[in-house]
Amino acid sequence: METVEMNSVSLKRPHSEDDVTNADEIKRQKISEESETGNDSGQSVETVTGQPDKSLLEDTKNEIIPNEESEEQEDEELEDSDEDGDPESFADMMKHGLTESDVGITKFVSSHKGFSGILKERYSDFVVHEIGKDGRVSHLDDFSVPVDDEVNFEDPSEETFTVLSDEDKQRLEELQLLKNKETSVAIEVIEDTKEKRTVIHQAVKSLFPGLETKTEDRDGKKYIIAYHAAGKKALANPRKHSWPKSRGSYCHFVLYKENKDTMDAINVLSKFLRVKPNIFSYMGTKDKRAITVQEIAVLRITAQRLAHLNKCLMNFKLGNFSYKNHPLKLGELQGNHFTVVLRNITGTDDQIEQAMHSLREIGFINYYGMQRFGTTAVPTYQIGRAILQNNWNEVMDLILKPRPGAEKGYLVKCREEWAKTKDPAAALKKLPVKRCVEGQLLRGLLKYGMKNIISAFGIIPRNNRLMYIHSYQSYVWNNMVSKRIEEYGLRAVPGDLTLKGATAVHIEEGDVDNYTIHDVVMPLPGFDVIYPKHKIGEAYKEMLVADNLDINNMRHKIRDYSLSGAYRKIIIRPQNVNWEVVAYDDPRIPLFTTDLDKLEGKPLPVLPTDGKFRALKMEFSLPPSTYATMAIREVLKMDTSIKNQTQLNTTWLR
């Protein structure tokens, strides 16, 4: 099968009186937001500033989150207030962003003619179901709460969540967190019945771990007195007797979410539950602009408390509860199942059949998708390269210097101040949002000084720092796999690499007929990998030499930045591939039912047999660390970069 060069195809928007995607959604649209171990894979990158998203801490202690107007909460409010804006300014910013060719994505493996279509016109056009390590696809199909066998323990009743006033909850939280000088909080019992007092006792103990209660008479009135059971220790070690020994320590549940990424969802859940996000665990992060279904585990939070959130949260649903003795770990998943609608397609029936048959039989080049590299004029791989070069002044400069393209106003002012003064304190004053990468680095420089950039950079969360060097690895891999396809096509050749178990070996001349392109892997550069024994092995070396890096010595002076290599398949062949072309008139209507639709008994809208528009509904399963957008790219033969799409679609950005 011959390879074909990439050509850009405009994604044309159908004319509709109602703009389906509002300005906020357009501005923050991403083709996909994925994780190395998660759904569409790759690491998520912040749309506006080009930095990686925050990640969960590895610590699993059950800590309580303060309810004060913290710096983090202030940051969120500022970010939220700045999200609305002129979509044209977003298009302007994208003029300085990356295209696929900038990051080595240049080849296709199929021979059909490309056609246009709209990806994620509605976030509900992109649905992801996680596939667990046992091969089971996660679905939300049960809201019931499991019943314990423990005789002496009762989950809090529904009344528990409403019996305390907001003022009571505020006072109790301040007491719990030792934020005032009070040693106790008194709650007057208006309805003096034993049943009512029992509910209040239970509410305080359930919602505020570490507090104990007693009943007292004062001036002829009854009060429930809340006090600390064990001082500060109670915060880190909630009352052990509050959790039955027969119950697993972790409540596992299925999280159904719409138009929210996994970290944002967990932050919301943690705030409503008054716990820290680090007690949640999961197997992979999922897209924001999508409907996603995945398994989550949380330490010592009852299913009943979680189920109660279904009544007060929008765009989330929790269900399929069970208690287990273990958390979840990143990378444990087997993959993800995607249901995707491409609207307003222009391809003929024959083109669509050819494209989908090729996807099922051959697959697609296993490129790292665009979200791996950021969306601004300073790609994340450039920062990663500077880290690997041990060029810390360059790292600092790339993160903080002014950059072309539209940005949030406070970032522009911060960068201008930095360029003018090189004073971290002055630049930080221009930056109300302190927990972005720029703010974290400036705080580090303020703390450690300009001569200790390494320590200053170390203030940024570890996973975020590592995303930069992984972005560089991905950049190299994309370029090398394009060269490999160009040089040798879709066949295994002597000198290629294949995996035998976890070990990579070279394919020998006499053994080449026993392998296909689907067996071939290529290395991500690192200190523990081997390279192909043909032209591509030399190309790796040449590329790293041009970047002032030694391919034979990828160990860094700082252990965290020593790149361990890995191997990645050249071609991925999706499993469970199905497709259907449907007609529709209204771009606002859904074209398939979701898990929540099924639970709520919502029927699928009746579609016309001869509608104004056509859509391609496609389903497929992918392993971890692969990108659904790269599969869709192969079908449409389009450039998936936001820069390309905004340039080609300026009419619908207005």
Side-chain angles (χ1 to χ4, degrees):
M1 179 73 70
E2 67 177 25
T3 65
V4 293
E5 294 294 336
M6 184 181 71
N7 55 78
S8 298
V9 180
S10 173
L11 301 184
K12 297 178 182 177
R13 181 178 177 84
H15 297 292
S16 171
E17 293 180 1
D18 295 301
D19 191 359
V20 179
T21 310
N22 61 34
D24 175 57
E25 289 177 324
I26 295 171
K27 180 181 176 185
R28 293 175 63 86
Q29 177 177 350
K30 301 175 188 176
I31 293 298
S32 182
E33 296 175 353
E34 307 119 346
S35 159
E36 174 73 25
T37 55
N39 56 322
D40 207 8
S41 187
Q43 304 293 353
S44 298
V45 260
E46 163 64 33
T47 303
V48 176
T49 61
Q51 280 89 37
D53 289 338
K54 55 192 175 297
S55 60
L56 283 177
L57 300 175
E58 295 177 358
D59 181 36
T60 57
K61 291 181 180 178
N62 189 0
E63 297 179 273
I64 307 300
I65 204 166
N67 197 33
E68 64 185 355
E69 192 75 3
S70 66
E71 182 180 87
E72 183 172 311
Q73 289 170 313
E74 290 172 357
D75 285 354
E76 287 177 355
E77 290 173 7
L78 282 161
E79 286 180 338
D80 290 342
S81 67
D82 201 40
E83 283 174 6
D84 296 328
D86 182 359
E88 291 185 22
S89 68
F90 178 68
D92 180 58
M93 180 180 76
M94 288 300 100
K95 292 176 184 176
H96 301 276
L98 298 169
T99 63
E100 287 185 344
S101 60
D102 292 329
V103 294
I105 303 173
T106 59
K107 301 294 181 181
F108 294 101
V109 296
S110 53
S111 58
H112 71 274
K113 184 179 179 181
F115 53 94
S116 70
I118 303 174
L119 173 62
K120 293 190 180 182
E121 180 175 40
R122 310 174 81 240
Y123 67 77
S124 55
D125 286 345
F126 197 92
V127 179
V128 185
H129 287 88
E130 191 170 69
I131 306 172
K133 59 183 178 182
D134 58 358
R136 181 180 56 85
V137 179
S138 292
H139 283 281
L140 180 76
D141 52 22
D142 184 5
F143 285 140
S144 64
V145 173
V147 179
D148 280 313
D149 295 329
E150 187 81 12
V151 176
N152 297 322
F153 183 86
E154 293 181 3
D155 272 331
S157 65
E158 189 67 27
E159 193 178 0
T160 296
F161 299 99
T162 57
V163 69
L164 298 173
S165 68
D166 289 340
E167 183 182 353
D168 288 337
K169 290 177 182 176
Q170 181 68 28
R171 292 166 61 214
L172 288 165
E173 188 161 3
E174 289 175 354
L175 174 68
Q176 180 196 44
L177 299 172
L178 305 172
K179 287 167 55 180
N180 56 27
K181 296 179 181 179
E182 301 296 326
T183 57
S184 64
V185 166
I187 301 169
E188 185 180 352
V189 182
I190 306 299
E191 301 173 27
D192 185 15
T193 64
K194 185 176 181 180
E195 290 76 15
K196 190 68 174 180
R197 293 199 304 272
T198 299
V199 171
I200 296 175
H201 282 293
Q202 191 179 49
V204 174
K205 294 176 182 180
S206 299
L207 300 178
F208 301 93
L211 296 184
E212 286 290 354
T213 58
K214 60 184 178 181
T215 304
E216 285 186 3
D217 285 308
R218 295 182 180 179
D219 300 324
K221 297 180 181 179
K222 275 195 167 55
Y223 290 86
I224 302 253
I225 309 300
Y227 60 95
H228 262 291
K232 293 184 178 180
K233 290 183 180 179
L235 292 178
N237 301 293
R239 293 150 49 276
K240 293 181 181 179
H241 66 269
S242 69
W243 197 265
K245 293 180 181 179
S246 62
R247 174 192 284 173
S249 293
Y250 295 87
C251 185
H252 287 232
F253 62 95
V254 169
L255 173 64
Y256 170 102
K257 62 180 181 63
E258 299 180 354
N259 210 26
K260 274 281 191 198
D261 68 35
T262 301
M263 272 305 308
D264 285 343
I266 284 176
N267 285 333
V268 169
L269 296 179
S270 66
K271 287 178 182 178
F272 273 81
L273 294 167
R274 292 187 175 85
V275 296
K276 280 203 170 180
N278 56 13
I279 70 169
F280 291 86
S281 57
Y282 50 87
M283 295 182 287
T285 59
K286 299 289 178 279
D287 285 3
K288 175 186 187 294
R289 190 168 168 76
I291 291 175
T292 68
V293 183
Q294 69 183 117
E295 188 175 350
I296 304 285
V298 60
L299 177 64
R300 294 196 173 187
I301 299 292
T302 66
Q304 188 166 2
R305 283 187 70 186
L306 293 166
H308 179 74
L309 297 179
N310 285 331
K311 298 183 178 181
C312 45
L313 292 179
M314 294 185 64
N315 300 327
F316 300 112
K317 288 295 178 183
L318 288 65
N320 297 80
F321 303 102
S322 62
Y323 293 107
K324 299 180 182 179
N325 289 317
H326 59 85
L328 295 170
K329 295 180 180 179
L330 282 170
E332 284 185 325
L333 75 170
Q334 196 177 105
N336 294 278
H337 185 74
F338 296 87
T339 306
V340 178
V341 169
L342 301 175
R343 291 181 183 255
N344 198 30
I345 56 170
T346 61
T348 65
D349 289 344
D350 186 53
Q351 286 173 335
I352 293 166
E353 286 295 306
Q354 286 184 46
M356 294 308 298
H357 275 288
S358 176
L359 182 67
R360 184 169 62 188
E361 301 303 321
I362 300 175
F364 61 96
I365 303 173
N366 193 20
Y367 286 121
Y368 286 96
M370 294 303 298
Q371 61 275 22
R372 186 78 162 183
F373 307 103
T375 56
T376 69
V378 179
T380 51
Y381 75 81
Q382 290 184 3
I383 300 171
R385 178 169 55 200
I387 293 170
L388 294 171
Q389 292 169 340
N390 210 32
N391 188 346
W392 294 100
N393 284 315
E394 176 77 358
V395 171
M396 179 177 66
D397 192 42
L398 286 170
I399 293 174
L400 295 177
K401 71 180 181 180
R403 56 185 65 175
E407 278 195 302
K408 292 182 179 181
Y410 55 77
L411 272 173
V412 173
K413 292 176 182 176
C414 170
R415 297 188 194 286
E416 288 174 349
E417 183 66 34
W418 174 257
K420 183 171 64 176
T421 66
K422 290 293 190 289
D423 181 349
L428 200 57
K429 285 180 181 178
K430 304 286 186 181
L431 194 63
V433 178
K434 302 292 194 296
R435 65 187 174 93
C436 61
V437 169
E438 292 87 352
Q440 290 166 330
L441 178 56
L442 287 169
R443 280 189 292 191
L445 292 170
L446 201 57
K447 180 177 181 179
Y448 294 106
M450 296 287 288
K451 294 184 179 180
N452 197 348
I453 301 172
I454 296 175
S455 295
F457 183 72
I459 280 186
I460 299 169
R462 180 176 182 272
N463 283 0
N464 294 15
R465 286 180 277 123
L466 297 187
M467 283 181 189
Y468 290 123
I469 60 175
H470 292 156
S471 176
Y472 177 75
Q473 271 187 317
S474 305
Y475 172 71
V476 173
W477 197 90
N478 279 0
N479 279 277
M480 291 300 99
V481 80
S482 291
K483 286 183 179 293
R484 163 62 181 76
I485 295 292
E486 180 177 6
E487 188 71 30
Y488 300 112
L490 297 180
R491 58 191 177 92
V493 299
D496 272 338
L497 294 169
T498 189
L499 291 178
K500 295 287 184 68
T503 305
V505 297
H506 291 102
I507 298 176
E508 302 297 334
E509 179 78 46
D511 205 25
V512 71
D513 291 339
N514 295 325
Y515 297 96
T516 70
I517 192 64
H518 298 101
D519 300 312
V520 178
V521 298
M522 286 191 24
L524 289 131
F527 59 76
D528 55 356
V529 297
I530 60 174
Y531 294 86
K533 288 183 177 177
H534 48 52
K535 292 181 180 179
I536 306 307
E538 289 301 311
Y540 269 98
K541 184 176 180 180
E542 290 168 7
M543 185 171 185
L544 267 70
V545 165
D547 286 340
N548 294 316
L549 295 171
D550 182 356
I551 199 169
N552 297 313
N553 183 16
M554 299 300 287
R555 295 188 183 275
H556 199 278
K557 294 178 180 178
I558 302 168
R559 185 177 178 183
D560 266 0
Y561 309 134
S562 289
L563 265 188
S564 60
Y567 299 96
R568 182 176 176 87
K569 283 197 169 186
I570 289 182
I571 302 292
I572 290 292
R573 186 161 43 191
Q575 301 298 305
N576 308 310
V577 178
N578 292 289
W579 67 92
E580 176 188 10
V581 176
V582 297
Y584 66 101
D585 286 321
D586 187 348
R588 296 169 298 182
I589 63 171
L591 299 181
F592 57 84
T593 52
T594 65
D595 285 1
L596 187 58
D597 292 335
K598 293 171 185 175
L599 270 171
E600 295 178 345
K602 291 183 181 178
L604 186 68
V606 177
L607 299 175
T609 55
D610 188 22
K612 290 186 292 185
F613 310 115
R614 294 158 70 238
L616 173 59
K617 290 168 56 179
M618 52 197 297
E619 289 190 59
F620 51 88
S621 298
L622 294 177
S625 191
T626 53
Y627 289 74
T629 48
M630 293 296 99
I632 295 164
R633 167 188 181 269
E634 186 69 44
V635 170
L636 294 179
K637 296 286 183 68
M638 73 174 192
D639 183 331
T640 62
S641 67
I642 299 177
K643 175 179 180 177
N644 184 64
Q645 293 183 39
T646 53
Q647 287 176 341
L648 294 172
N649 292 278
T650 53
T651 55
W652 64 263
L653 279 168
R654 293 191 173 92

